[in-house]
Amino acid sequence: MRFKHYSLHLNEQGLQRAVKDAVRLAGIVKLASCHSLRHSFATHLLESGYDIRTVQELLGHKDVTTTQIYTHVMEKPGLGVRSPLDF
C-alpha cells in the first residue's frame, strides 16, 4: 500500500489521519496519535534538562501546572541537568 500524499497545508483532521496512516504502515501495534507524539516530545525535553518554562512555551500552555503533568512519566526526574563534575 502506498502512503497517501498530504498537502503541506493540513488541517487538524488531516494531520491526525496522516499520523494514523503512518503508524499503520510502520506496523506499530501500540496506540499512537498526535497527542502521544506531543507527550513524548515534552517528556524527552524535560528528561534532557530543558527548563519547564521553555517546554511550557513550546507547548502553548498558559499555566505551568499543565506542563507539570508531563513530569510524572519521566524516567530520570531531576537528572536532566548534570553537574560539570559528572563529565
Side-chain angles (χ1 to χ4, degrees):
M1 173 179 233
R2 296 184 63 212
F3 189 72
K4 294 179 184 176
H5 173 72
Y6 292 94
S7 168
L8 291 176
H9 301 284
L10 296 173
N11 61 24
E12 188 175 338
Q13 287 180 333
L15 178 60
Q16 290 170 349
R17 196 173 316 114
V19 170
K20 182 179 179 178
D21 288 349
V23 168
R24 187 184 74 255
L25 289 171
I28 298 171
V29 294
K30 289 189 174 188
L31 292 177
S33 65
C34 293
H35 181 77
S36 58
L37 292 175
R38 177 181 169 91
H39 192 89
S40 176
F41 172 71
T43 303
H44 176 73
L45 289 177
L46 291 169
E47 286 179 343
S48 296
Y50 280 78
D51 178 69
I52 195 161
R53 298 282 181 184
T54 301
V55 178
Q56 174 190 1
E57 185 175 330
L58 288 171
L59 296 178
H61 294 157
K62 291 181 182 176
D63 191 342
V64 74
T65 56
T66 306
T67 313
Q68 288 173 332
I69 293 168
Y70 295 101
T71 62
H72 81 279
V73 295
M74 291 174 58
E75 291 182 21
K76 302 175 280 184
L79 298 179
V81 179
R82 298 179 57 162
S83 165
L85 301 174
D86 291 338
F87 295 109

